[in-house]
Structure formats: C-alpha cells, structure tokens
Amino acid sequence: MASQWLDPHPTRVQQKALRTLVKAGCGPDELDLIVSYLAKAFPTGDEGSQKLSEIAEFATSIGIPAARDYFRAIEETKAVAELTDERVLAFARSVDRHTAEWYFWAVWGTKAVQELTNERVLKAVKFFRSIDSPATVEYFLAIRETKAAAELTRERVLNFAESIGSDAAVEYFGAFWETKAVAELTDERVLQFALSVGSDAAKEYFLAIRETKAVAELTDPKVLSLANSMGGRVAGDYFRAIRETRAAAALTNENVLIFAESIGRGPASEYFRVIRSTKAVTELTGEGLLRASGVIRAIGSDAALDYFLAVAARQGAPLPPEAEEGAIVPAPGETVPVLTLLDIPSYDRLKPVALLGVSGLFWWGMWQFANVSAVASQGLVNLSVVAGGWVVLLSAVYLLAGVIAERSSEEFLKCRRRLLNEHGIRWHDCFATDRRCDVCWSAGHVHEDRQYDYGRFCRCPAC
C-alpha cells in the first residue's frame, strides 16, 4: 500500500513529462509524433510514461537551443524511433551542448538519419571533444551543405581531422562546403600529404583551396609532391602565396614547380614570400626568371631575396650590365618603387658578449693569481689600480670589437654587392659617382637612404 503512494501514477508522470517537453521547445506536431510512437512501441502505460519522462529529461539536459533542433529533426525526418534511441540520447549528453545543437541541426538539414546515427558517429565522442567549437561548426556545416554524410563520417576522415588539430580542421571542413569537392578532399593522397607537412602548412593548404576554389590545381599530384619535398615551412609560404594572390593556375604551372624545386628550400621560401608581398605574379613567373634557377641557387637565400624583389620592381628579370644600353630614368613625377632589399647582419650585438667574456676572464685571472683579501688589506690604491686596469681593458676591447664589427659589415656588403652585380642586379657605390642622379640625390646633395638602401651601396633604378 505504501509503495502505491510512493510511486507516481503513470498519468501524472506523463503529464509532467509533457509539460517539460513543451517548456523545452517541443511543438504540438513533434509532441504528437513522439506520443504516437511511444503508444505503439510501449503498449503498457508504465513503460511509455517512463520513456516520455526520459526524453523530457534529455531535452532539459542539453539546453533549449539544442532541444529545439532535436525536435525539429524529429519533425523533419519523422524518424522518432532512431532519434529517441538510447544510443543517440547518450551521445548527445556526452558531448557539449554546442556540439549537440549542431549535430541535430545537421540531422534535420540533411535527413541523413541512418548515417548520422551510425555506430561510428555515436562512438566518436573523443573526436568531438578533441576539436574546438569552430571546427565542430564547420564539420556539421560541411555535412549539411554537401549532403555527404556517409563520406564525412568515415573513421579515417574523423581520425585525420583529429590528427591535424582544430585550426587545420576548421579550414579542412570549411573547404568541403565551399567547394563541394568531397571526393577530392577525402582522397587518401590528400590526407597523407596534409599529415606529412604538419598542421600549420595543412591549414594554409586547405585555406588556399577554400578561398581560391582551385581544387583540381591544388590536388594535382605534382603540386603535392613538390610541397611535400620542400617541407612544412616552405609549403606554408607556397600555399599562402597562392591564397593571397588568387593565382593558383600560374603558381601551380609545371615550370614554376620545377623552378621552385631546383633553387632549393631557402630561395624557394623567399620566392613565394616575395610573390605574396608584391603580388607581381606575372613578373615572377616569367620565362626569363624561371630560366635563372642556376643563378638563384648559386647566390643563396639572402641575395635571392634581392633578386626577386628587383624582378618584381622592374617588371622583368634584370639584364646583365653589358646587355643594358643605358640608364633607365623615370619620367618627372613618376614614383620609383622603394626596394627594401638590404638585410645586413648586426655585428654590433656581439660587443656585449665580448665585454662580458673579457670581464669574466679578467676577474677569474685576478682570483687565480692574486689573493683578493690580501689586496683589499693593502688599501684603496691597489683596488683602484685593479679597477682602472679593468676599465682600460674593457675600453680597448670595446674599440676593437667596434672595428671588427665595422669590418665584418663592410665585407658582407662587399660580398653581397659582388654577387648581385655578377648576376645582373646593379648595385654601385653611390658616393663614388658624380652625385648627379636626380632621383637618389636631393637638391641639397643629400642621398635618399630611406628609399635606396645606403648611400655607399645604392640601387636606384635610374642610376
């Protein structure tokens, strides 16, 4: 008798559950579908009431936004049995509310109930917990926009997205709904390539596909092979250049790929960075430049940067000095491109290191060859002599280090100038000329160092 008073009547349980469902956002149509299904699936009132109560508790636990998409999925698909299955409810509880909301949004948007309630999806809780909120949104958006639920819920796709990290996964799934290229982006070659170059380069790769829509060019085996051979850092520069210039066709041309591979990783990185910063795609993919791979490889990365910037600024590969017929003087008022080509190592930073090293050796020597306490006892004069010797030594080392730093800079500039002049980039000693150039010398005979490097090594295009 007591148990009858303790156990609520099935009718009261059902009424309470119905009120809870309505508060959670369940409309009359969805409510009718749920009640009708439970009446058929559970002939006894107790079981049906308990199941209805369970659904109501579930809708409350996932929050109102997710619950609304849940009820919408039931209304759109009429798949009450599948969507009230305990496995589905357990999955939605195990992930965060945001994921649950987008999950049910994809279900009613695609009506792919069978694929999205598949066991491999419902057991992919670890995957959904490993990617952040933006990646989750892009994933379900990709499923809904492409209607390729079966392909995008495959285990290898989920494992791949988990491996490359959330940032790259955002762009990967975004590329699906931007391009609808499901077959290409789930190809094993593409997945293996992205894993091999690392998360950062993979992010740039999928972002380039997403923004340029150049799926055929960017999934070409030759492009993947080149990017893989160059390594993640250079590959990232390459795909960033493609994305920012929108010149996928030009930069995936076979001649460009051969050129980039032949000049080596360092110069190739500078090559793609210059393309990206200057947007001078036509000039930097011209036949004249692409034939100069041997020159680029010989002069190294630093000088190659100068070379590429000069090509971009002069709208064509620079000719050797003997091939030029005369100086190129811009028309009055014409803007001369500023060439920020110089990257001189700062040898002055070695001065503090030298001073610190000499100080350490000096005081170590004093400790080894003199009794510090005995010196101190003889009075202030001896200590002053020691301190004075230390100061004199530091001054001498400071001056010597300055001379060495200046000499090293001069040698660097001399070597740079020689290399570039040998390969057709004019770089002369402006102070050794008659200072009559109207472009790089002002009316007051002041050199425009900010525009054209330093006066001693000027690269004014008019000189």
Side-chain angles (χ1 to χ4, degrees):
M1 186 72 175
S3 63
Q4 293 180 357
W5 288 101
L6 292 174
D7 294 335
H9 193 274
T11 304
R12 284 200 293 276
V13 172
Q14 185 178 24
Q15 290 175 349
K16 180 181 179 182
L18 291 173
R19 288 195 297 271
T20 304
L21 287 170
V22 172
K23 288 181 181 179
C26 185
D29 295 336
E30 301 98 294
L31 201 59
D32 288 342
L33 288 171
I34 295 172
V35 171
S36 299
Y37 163 73
L38 294 179
K40 295 177 182 178
F42 302 97
T44 62
D46 289 346
E47 292 180 352
S49 298
Q50 289 299 324
K51 185 64 178 178
L52 187 64
S53 181
E54 180 186 346
I55 296 171
E57 291 176 3
F58 163 75
T60 303
S61 68
I62 62 175
I64 292 179
R68 286 175 177 170
D69 279 303
Y70 174 64
F71 297 130
R72 177 74 179 273
I74 290 176
E75 180 187 12
E76 295 286 344
T77 65
K78 307 296 189 293
V80 184
E82 292 82 353
L83 295 177
T84 57
D85 188 282
E86 179 57 35
R87 297 178 305 112
V88 174
L89 304 186
F91 166 75
R93 287 194 197 97
S94 63
V95 296
D96 61 82
R97 292 183 173 186
H98 182 264
T99 301
E101 177 185 357
W102 282 90
Y103 170 70
F104 292 122
W105 177 82
V107 171
W108 71 258
T110 62
K111 298 181 175 59
V113 178
Q114 183 178 354
E115 292 82 358
L116 291 174
T117 58
N118 188 284
E119 194 68 22
R120 64 174 177 268
V121 176
L122 301 181
K123 288 186 176 180
V125 176
K126 180 174 176 289
F127 162 72
F128 289 110
R129 288 177 177 173
S130 68
I131 62 175
D132 57 18
S133 180
T136 301
V137 172
E138 297 288 352
Y139 176 66
F140 288 117
L141 189 58
I143 290 177
R144 177 159 172 164
E145 292 297 317
T146 63
K147 303 295 190 292
E151 292 82 354
L152 294 180
T153 55
R154 288 177 180 171
E155 186 175 358
R156 66 187 183 89
V157 173
L158 300 181
N159 290 340
F160 166 74
E162 186 177 352
S163 299
I164 61 174
S166 293
D167 290 342
V170 167
E171 310 307 338
Y172 177 58
F173 293 128
F176 277 102
W177 66 266
E178 293 273 12
T179 65
K180 308 296 190 296
V182 177
E184 293 84 349
L185 294 175
T186 56
D187 188 279
E188 189 64 28
R189 292 182 302 104
V190 172
L191 304 187
Q192 290 301 321
F193 162 74
L195 290 173
S196 67
V197 296
S199 298
D200 293 338
K203 175 184 176 181
E204 291 296 334
Y205 174 61
F206 293 122
L207 193 57
I209 292 177
R210 182 175 185 175
E211 293 191 7
T212 65
K213 311 292 191 301
V215 178
E217 292 87 347
L218 292 174
T219 57
D220 188 286
K222 294 178 182 177
V223 173
L224 301 184
S225 176
L226 168 72
N228 192 34
S229 66
M230 291 191 299
R233 184 177 65 84
V234 183
D237 291 332
Y238 176 50
F239 295 124
R240 198 176 295 115
I242 291 176
R243 172 171 61 87
E244 294 190 11
T245 61
R246 297 293 195 275
L251 295 181
T252 57
N253 181 275
E254 186 173 3
N255 292 332
V256 173
L257 300 181
I258 294 173
F259 171 76
E261 186 175 15
S262 63
I263 63 178
R265 292 186 180 183
S269 179
E270 302 297 351
Y271 176 60
F272 295 127
R273 288 180 182 180
V274 172
I275 290 177
R276 172 190 165 211
S277 62
T278 65
K279 307 296 188 295
V281 177
T282 302
E283 293 78 11
L284 291 167
T285 57
E287 185 179 354
L289 175 63
L290 299 184
R291 287 202 311 264
S293 59
V295 172
I296 303 301
R297 187 171 56 251
I299 64 178
S301 300
D302 291 336
L305 171 62
D306 296 356
Y307 191 90
F308 297 138
L309 285 168
V311 171
R314 295 180 63 170
Q315 298 184 351
L319 297 172
E322 61 273 12
E324 296 183 352
E325 296 180 358
I328 304 173
V329 181
E334 181 182 347
T335 301
V336 179
V338 178
L339 306 180
T340 55
L341 306 179
L342 204 57
D343 183 17
I344 303 174
S346 178
Y347 296 103
D348 287 337
R349 68 178 184 274
L350 299 177
K351 288 182 180 179
V353 177
L355 295 177
L356 182 62
V358 169
S359 296
L361 289 173
F362 177 82
W363 291 111
W364 178 82
M366 289 298 299
W367 177 264
Q368 292 292 324
F369 298 105
N371 189 324
V372 177
S373 59
V375 173
S377 66
Q378 291 178 12
L380 185 60
V381 176
N382 289 335
L383 287 175
S384 300
V385 170
V386 172
W390 179 46
V391 171
V392 170
L393 179 62
L394 287 182
S395 300
V397 171
Y398 181 82
L399 294 174
L400 179 61
V403 172
I404 294 174
E406 183 179 359
R407 179 64 176 171
S408 299
S409 296
E410 289 178 355
E411 288 298 319
F412 176 86
L413 289 171
K414 182 179 179 181
C415 180
R416 173 71 70 83
R417 176 189 176 193
R418 178 180 57 79
L419 282 172
L420 294 181
N421 283 342
E422 285 177 358
H423 296 288
I425 300 179
R426 303 182 65 184
W427 189 5
H428 62 277
D429 187 345
C430 215
F431 285 128
T433 65
D434 55 7
R435 308 187 185 188
R436 293 180 180 177
C437 176
D438 295 333
V439 177
C440 61
W441 287 95
S442 67
H445 297 288
V446 177
H447 193 269
E448 300 292 342
D449 283 354
R450 291 186 178 181
Q451 272 195 308
Y452 303 109
D453 303 324
Y454 295 91
R456 288 188 59 194
F457 299 101
C458 177
R459 276 172 289 182
C460 165
C463 290

